Amino acid sequence: MSASPLDLKEVRADFPILRESIHGKRLAYLDNAATTQKPTSVMAEMDLYYVHSNANVHRAVHELAARATKSYEAARERIAQWINAPRDSIVFTRGTTESINLVARAYLQPILQPGDEVLVTTMEHHSNIVPWQLVGAKTVAAPINDAGELDIDAWRAMLNPRTKLVAVCHVSNALGTVNPIAEMISEAHARGIPVLIDDAQGIAHLRMDVAALDADFYAASAHKFYGPTGFGFLYAKREHLEAMTPLQGGGDMIDTVSFDGSTWNEVPYKFEAGTPDMAGAIGAATALEYLDSIGLDAIATHEHALLEYATPKMQAIKGLKLIGTAANKSGILSFVMDGAHPHDIGSILDQAGVAIRTGHHCTMPLMQRLCVPATARASLGLYNGTDDIDQLIDGLNMVNRLLG
Ligand code: PLP
């Protein structure tokens, strides 16, 4: 592998969990697409918040409430900057899943007519399929080729007057495919169709500019970008947020309340009923600071080089087939092996200290298209190195010795 722009020794020192010993082996954590590990700075800032600033936001005049509100709103500003959005178009949620459900309920459902469609792709996560179905939309999936790339011509041909929304992942969690979202947004907009980008898998790896892209909706989860679990956000264009009615009623989302009726707070607050996750917001913003301190471009270069290091080594393993070989691919290596069920691969690798994920990866329709019940998946993060890949390869050779 060519020299990495990252100092891995320094980076790894930021992640105490990487020092865990697993079944007596060093940990090779290759399950980053499921969730990333947290740097000390994220945990420390969340701790500091509880030690020095904890109070409910927006509702009191005392000093701690002022500190909590300041940090919470500063986090919104930081997250908005990261994707080049105005701060008041960032709605805090529990994550990508809740963000997409919010769009389904508050944006799509009120305008949906019988027979209306959401155009998705075969590679979508269940979070980008089921919410549309729950509100009564028909989910129509554009096909992919055998490399796991979207068939963009077929996708274009599927846009039609019934298409109320295009919803697509930036990066596939099961294949690593990077979709041509800029082209898709401009094609959909040319037909007056809004677009939602599910960036759960892209945000920690590829730079995002929702203004330049002109995305209508954009969803992400903090735990995929080295931040805490249970926190995420939805970006939506102001005009959409203004038109959407709140999904949940309660504290903070109102302007006035009476027994005759209530009026809503301004955006984004009308979508944030109840006491929010202040520590989560602070942790998420700190995670973005952390990524900035290393440099997203350096991270992307590092992870790409690692992907190129790992790919031929995995392909050289007897009976192993990579699932997802798109030309434009992020650091995800899904695979199957002759004579070995993915769950058995996962268990044997676990004994070797290697953490990967096995299963359908919340992409059952994709598994059906690929004619596999499940895959094994190694996914890269900024702290991974060639030593992790070598440990994975040794483990896969062990799988072959035991099961092959
Ligand atoms: N979309 C994609 C592509 C994902 O990979 C995931 C999680 O793995 C999600 C959506 C859902 O994210 P969360 O569970 O954080 O809401």
Side-chain angles (χ1 to χ4, degrees):
M1 183 175 144
S2 49
S4 168
L6 303 190
D7 181 340
L8 268 195
K9 201 161 170 241
E10 225 171 72
V11 166
R12 285 175 177 174
D14 296 332
F15 293 86
I17 202 169
L18 297 178
R19 297 196 281 277
E20 285 295 298
S21 156
I22 304 293
H23 308 303
K25 312 278 176 1
R26 81 176 275 279
L27 167 63
Y29 186 77
L30 293 166
D31 195 16
N32 294 286
T35 201
T36 51
Q37 300 302 346
K38 320 306 169 199
T40 310
S41 62
V42 167
M43 297 183 282
E45 278 302 318
M46 293 174 76
D47 225 38
L48 278 177
Y49 164 74
Y50 283 120
V51 173
H52 293 293
S53 311
N54 180 51
N56 213 329
V57 285
H58 300 151
R59 285 173 219 153
V61 290
H62 63 77
E63 169 62 18
L64 289 185
R67 284 186 205 169
T69 302
K70 191 164 167 234
S71 302
Y72 182 68
E73 290 304 329
R76 197 187 305 274
E77 188 78 47
R78 187 70 193 85
I79 289 167
Q81 272 171 9
W82 188 259
I83 60 165
N84 192 25
R87 63 165 290 287
D88 57 3
S89 45
I90 301 293
V91 179
F92 287 158
T93 65
R94 286 193 303 120
T96 308
T97 303
E98 189 171 275
S99 299
I100 297 177
N101 277 277
L102 176 60
V103 177
R105 298 262 174 208
Y107 171 79
L108 189 65
Q109 191 167 28
I111 58 169
L112 206 63
Q113 300 292 325
D116 279 350
E117 299 174 357
V118 175
L119 179 56
V120 296
T121 76
T122 307
M123 70 184 92
E124 297 311 315
H125 190 280
H126 297 163
S127 297
N128 200 16
I129 301 172
V130 183
W132 314 123
Q133 296 173 340
L134 274 174
V135 298
K138 193 169 158 203
T139 43
V140 181
I144 55 169
N145 64 19
D146 290 341
E149 293 163 320
L150 179 66
D151 180 339
I152 191 79
D153 293 328
W155 174 84
R156 192 180 300 110
M158 293 169 91
L159 293 166
N160 74 81
R162 288 236 169 268
T163 315
K164 278 286 167 308
L165 184 76
V166 162
V168 60
C169 59
H170 183 193
V171 175
S172 157
N173 66 307
L175 302 167
T177 306
V178 180
N179 281 312
I181 53 172
E183 182 185 347
M184 295 171 82
I185 290 171
S186 83
E187 296 259 11
H189 283 179
R191 293 159 181 82
I193 303 166
V195 180
L196 175 137
I197 303 297
D198 166 356
D199 205 21
Q201 293 298 337
I203 189 165
H205 312 278
L206 302 168
R207 197 154 289 288
M208 174 54 55
D209 182 332
V210 291
L213 271 179
D214 200 24
D216 293 272
F217 302 99
Y218 172 93
S221 304
H223 73 100
K224 309 277 195 194
F225 59 83
Y226 309 96
T229 50
F231 187 84
F233 67 94
L234 170 72
Y235 157 80
K237 280 185 180 166
R238 178 88 191 205
E239 73 219 53
H240 297 317
L241 289 176
E242 295 288 357
M244 286 156 62
T245 44
L247 200 59
Q248 294 191 325
D252 228 25
M253 55 72 69
I254 47 83
D255 182 23
T256 62
V257 178
S258 78
F259 289 113
D260 296 325
S262 304
T263 56
W264 318 138
N265 201 344
E266 59 194 19
V267 295
Y269 305 107
K270 73 175 182 180
F271 300 107
E272 294 179 1
T275 300
D277 182 359
M278 288 80 83
I282 290 162
T286 309
L288 295 179
E289 294 292 347
Y290 180 77
L291 288 179
D292 239 1
S293 73
I294 295 180
L296 196 59
D297 294 340
I299 292 169
T301 304
H302 168 74
E303 289 175 352
H304 189 73
L306 207 51
L307 180 69
E308 298 212 314
Y309 176 84
T311 301
K313 285 188 184 291
M314 290 182 73
Q315 279 167 329
I317 294 203
K318 192 165 78 56
L320 185 148
K321 183 176 172 225
L322 280 180
I323 304 285
T325 50
N328 192 3
K329 200 179 150 177
S330 176
I332 286 176
L333 294 141
S334 276
F335 58 97
V336 291
M337 289 174 82
D338 288 344
H341 191 279
H343 292 322
D344 295 330
I345 299 172
S347 300
I348 293 169
L349 289 178
D350 175 52
Q351 289 302 315
V354 182
I356 63 154
R357 183 137 304 237
T358 61
H360 54 62
H361 315 293
C362 297
T363 56
M364 278 190 192
L366 175 65
M367 296 295 122
Q368 280 155 19
R369 159 64 179 81
L370 299 168
C371 302
V372 292
T375 72
R377 178 189 72 186
S379 50
L380 307 177
L382 62 90
Y383 34 62
N384 290 127
T386 52
D387 48 359
D388 295 318
I389 302 300
D390 294 344
Q391 199 171 328
L392 168 69
I393 300 295
D394 287 349
L396 293 173
N397 283 323
M398 168 91 78
V399 171
N400 264 343
R401 280 199 298 280
L402 293 173
L403 303 175

